[in-house]
Amino acid sequence: MMDLKNRPIEVISLLNPAYCSLILFEAVKNYMKKKPDGMPFSLAYVALPMVLNKKLFSSFPSNTNARLDIWIKDNPELKYIFMKSAVNISRYVNEAVLFSLDQNSIILSDNGNLLKGTLRKKNNYLNDELNECIDNAAFIGKWLSKINKESTIYTIMGIRP
């Protein structure tokens, strides 16, 4: 159960389930443009940390034609930042996935992939910072979809079971 009352206001503002759910929705939606079978569930734990960490998203390449492995090779410190961020926000990724599934903005396919659902209402009150985050989520969805195997992504990002 999500206990928002006992969290610092900064955490509620930046990592609340509805906000993270919107980011996840955009990542999945853009991932599915190349791979309609959906985004592997586990990539939610790659996408959200990359979008929510300023040091990571501010260093994204200018387009999704750039290779993830080259990006990490050229910026080795980002791998450490990613790993630390991924561990620190995994709890919030769990909440975002559960919230998304509950709200049907994300649907779980029979093979365990995340599929784009529907948003109840389009939010017209997003500020520039939030719009940038949504754009980054779209970018990461497209970027991750260009890599054939999710295991390749895990290897590049230093993720081990």
Side-chain angles (χ1 to χ4, degrees):
M1 188 72 177
M2 294 175 236
D3 183 17
L4 298 177
K5 292 179 188 171
N6 295 325
R7 294 183 184 173
I9 190 71
E10 296 84 10
V11 171
I12 293 172
S13 298
L14 297 173
L15 299 171
N16 75 71
Y19 176 62
C20 291
S21 175
L22 182 60
I23 292 169
L24 185 59
F25 174 84
E26 284 298 322
V28 170
K29 180 176 87 175
N30 283 282
Y31 186 94
M32 289 181 63
K33 288 180 179 176
K34 183 164 176 73
K35 295 183 176 176
D37 290 342
M39 187 169 90
F41 178 84
S42 59
L43 289 183
Y45 295 89
V46 175
L48 279 169
M50 291 182 78
V51 172
L52 293 172
N53 187 300
K54 186 174 184 171
K55 288 181 182 173
L56 292 171
F57 73 72
S58 64
S59 64
F60 281 173
S62 59
N63 64 62
T64 59
N65 290 328
R67 290 180 33 184
L68 181 64
D69 59 332
I70 301 297
W71 178 68
I72 287 294
K73 183 179 176 189
D74 291 345
N75 304 285
E77 73 282 1
L78 297 179
K79 191 173 187 176
Y80 173 76
I81 293 169
F82 166 77
M83 290 189 299
K84 190 173 179 181
S85 178
V87 169
N88 288 338
I89 72 162
S90 64
R91 167 186 181 181
Y92 305 106
V93 176
N94 293 338
E95 291 176 356
V97 170
L98 290 174
F99 185 86
S100 298
L101 293 171
D102 183 62
Q103 299 296 310
N104 292 322
S105 61
I106 298 293
I107 301 165
L108 198 58
S109 73
D110 291 339
N111 62 2
N113 286 345
L114 300 176
L115 302 172
K116 177 184 73 110
T118 55
L119 289 178
R120 284 188 178 177
K121 180 181 175 185
K122 184 176 179 181
N123 190 339
N124 295 323
Y125 303 105
L126 296 177
N127 62 29
D128 289 343
E129 187 175 339
L130 295 176
N131 280 322
E132 181 184 12
C133 204
I134 299 300
D135 290 344
N136 289 331
F139 180 92
I140 201 68
K142 289 179 196 170
W143 204 19
L144 294 178
S145 73
K146 291 187 172 187
I147 300 172
N148 285 335
K149 293 181 179 178
E150 61 191 276
S151 60
T152 303
I153 296 169
Y154 305 144
T155 300
I156 292 169
M157 299 309 295
I159 300 169
R160 289 179 279 166

